[in-house]
Amino acid sequence: MKPSFFILTVLALLLLPTAIPHDYSEALRKSILFFEGQRSGRLPKQQRMTWRGDSALNDGKNLNTDLVGGYYDAGDNIKFHFPMAFTATMLAWSSIDFQSYMSQNDLGHNLIALKWATDYLLKTVSQLPNRIFVQVGEAQADHDCWERPEDMDTPRTAFALDAPDPASDLAGEIAAALAAASIAFKQSRPKYSVVLLDKAIKTFQYADSHRGCYTDNPNVNKAVCPFYCSVNGYKDELLWGAAWLRRATGDDYYLEYLVNNRQAFGQDFNYLEFGWDNKYGGVNVLIAKEIFEKDAIALTAYKDAAEEMMCAFFPETSGPHHMSYTPGGLLYKPGNSQLQNMAALSFLLLTYADYLSNSSQQLNCSNHQFQPDSLRRIVKRQVDYVLGDNPAKLSYMVGYGDQYPRQIHHRGASIPSVKVQRNAFGCLLGWNIFKSPNPDPNILVGAVIGGPDVDDSFIGKRTNASDTEPTTYINAPLVGVFAYFKSNPNFS
């Protein structure tokens, strides 16, 4: 049988030499700097994104608690705790598995970005076992206005869930974030690491004791949906939280939990996915590390699923599933914000490649075997695409290179800085700016935006949110990815 035209095309794209030399060191620095532009609360003296100012200093007041700080998730001014926790988990994972590729300066800044998130996440679980905080801000009211965060006059309502209301997805992800961060801070901040791990254990207990989605509560559902509903359910977050606690503690309780619940929690399904909503792909790769290092036979099914996922990236394999690519070579999945999928999946590919290399193994895909570098080449193609080696010849990282989007879907970037124009921009005036053809007055350096469509087409206007809106959970996994190629700039 002759290989199909599709397979030959994809293979050609994956093997295409990089046309543009890229500065991965610059990309790494800027990918971390981006998080300073997303900060909520009182900014520190060391703030490097100087056009930003203090914001949302009374968050949590309606529930008589302190919920000041954290990150705005994207181009709006809401603090959604579910994707924020995933962001923290990925920043932590980058610090843990990719720290050897980072300079002390880069690692330090990444840990600062992580701590800004975990300091806040500790607040969200400060009233356990009775209450967990879900979100700050009313999404619809916020989205009805185009205001910089320093001017916000929309309601800053904080939302919470009280036991026995379920929150397995939210609490499971927060537990994962705190457990992963406890590992990341173990050397530099040992006392903080202990606090994080203690809270991770207690948060997981809430997640497992009160099973169900956090959006099962009608009031929370109204606040969170349709923005961050847990469409994939909650069972993946229970496995994800348990997997990180297993790695952080070495406790056999979590190993047994993973073995006993794998099939019942649907780990055999959706294992090709990974992102803020679906953790199955990440669970498999994370657990595979223990199998490589300790030959934990009881967990072998997780590694097998991880291998099936890795094999799906190679169109010449005979497996039942294959990943899709745009004509220009970008990993593609149906839906908005394509670079979100690319970033998370690239992180898993690169992580698994290192696990293979460290154990002197190769990837076995039925009738084909691949060396770890084969996985890395796929990732390099993705990274170079983001940085400008794409049909549009455009960097999808703001502030990298000469050609990058000058109108992004981001309130703070598009409205003159409070340091320049102290008078507030009201809701209506903000919409005039939103519709303006003028470039953003503030550069959100390092922001990786949603990116192009299935045909590599890109509409670079702030009115087109799916293409031009940045998110914290696009950037977070890319920190580790950029770190690898910074350390291996001549990889091909």
Side-chain angles (χ1 to χ4, degrees), residues 23-37 48-49 105-106 109 387 395 397-402 404 443-448 475-476 478-479 482:
D23 187 340
Y24 303 111
S25 179
E26 178 188 350
L28 172 60
R29 290 195 309 272
K30 291 181 173 179
S31 68
I32 300 171
L33 177 59
F34 156 76
F35 289 95
E36 296 191 17
R48 295 176 295 165
M49 200 81 78
N105 188 56
D106 291 331
H109 282 301
L387 297 180
S395 167
M397 172 183 277
V398 175
Y400 178 89
D402 296 327
Y404 57 84
I443 307 300
L444 188 61
V445 175
V448 179
N475 267 63
L478 287 176
V479 170
F482 287 134

Side-chain angles (χ1 to χ4, degrees), residues 228-292:
Y228 291 103
C229 302
S230 187
V231 176
N232 194 60
Y234 65 87
K235 295 176 181 178
D236 54 327
E237 277 82 25
L238 287 175
L239 294 173
W240 181 236
W244 274 110
L245 282 164
R246 167 64 179 172
R247 184 159 176 183
T249 66
D251 192 328
D252 284 346
Y253 169 80
Y254 299 107
L255 183 147
E256 293 170 6
Y257 187 96
L258 291 164
V259 171
N260 294 337
N261 290 296
R262 179 187 173 277
Q263 198 164 17
F265 284 4
Q267 190 64 19
D268 289 327
F269 303 98
N270 295 326
Y271 59 84
L272 300 181
E273 304 290 334
F274 185 53
W276 66 262
D277 184 32
N278 189 324
K279 311 305 180 333
Y280 284 126
V283 170
N284 291 326
V285 170
L286 177 63
I287 295 175
K289 179 180 174 65
E290 181 166 350
I291 303 167
F292 280 121

Side-chain angles (χ1 to χ4, degrees), residues 191-208:
K191 291 182 180 179
Y192 186 61
S193 173
V194 171
V195 171
L196 291 168
L197 185 55
D198 178 67
K199 280 295 184 182
I201 292 169
K202 291 175 181 175
T203 304
F204 184 77
Q205 288 171 350
Y206 187 101
D208 196 37

Side-chain angles (χ1 to χ4, degrees), residues 76 78 80 138-146 227 411 431:
D76 53 18
I78 303 296
F80 295 99
E138 296 185 13
Q140 196 55 57
D142 179 86
H143 288 190
D144 286 343
C145 279
W146 193 262
F227 308 103
R411 287 158 174 76
W431 285 117

Side-chain angles (χ1 to χ4, degrees), residues 317-333:
T317 60
S318 58
H321 305 289
H322 291 104
M323 297 294 183
S324 298
Y325 298 85
T326 68
L330 178 68
L331 279 167
Y332 181 84
K333 284 183 173 292

Side-chain angles (χ1 to χ4, degrees), residues 346 349-350 375-383 481 485:
S346 292
L349 278 163
L350 210 51
L375 298 173
R376 296 184 180 113
R377 288 188 189 97
I378 296 174
V379 180
K380 188 171 189 297
R381 179 73 188 105
Q382 303 309 302
V383 169
V481 173
F485 290 108

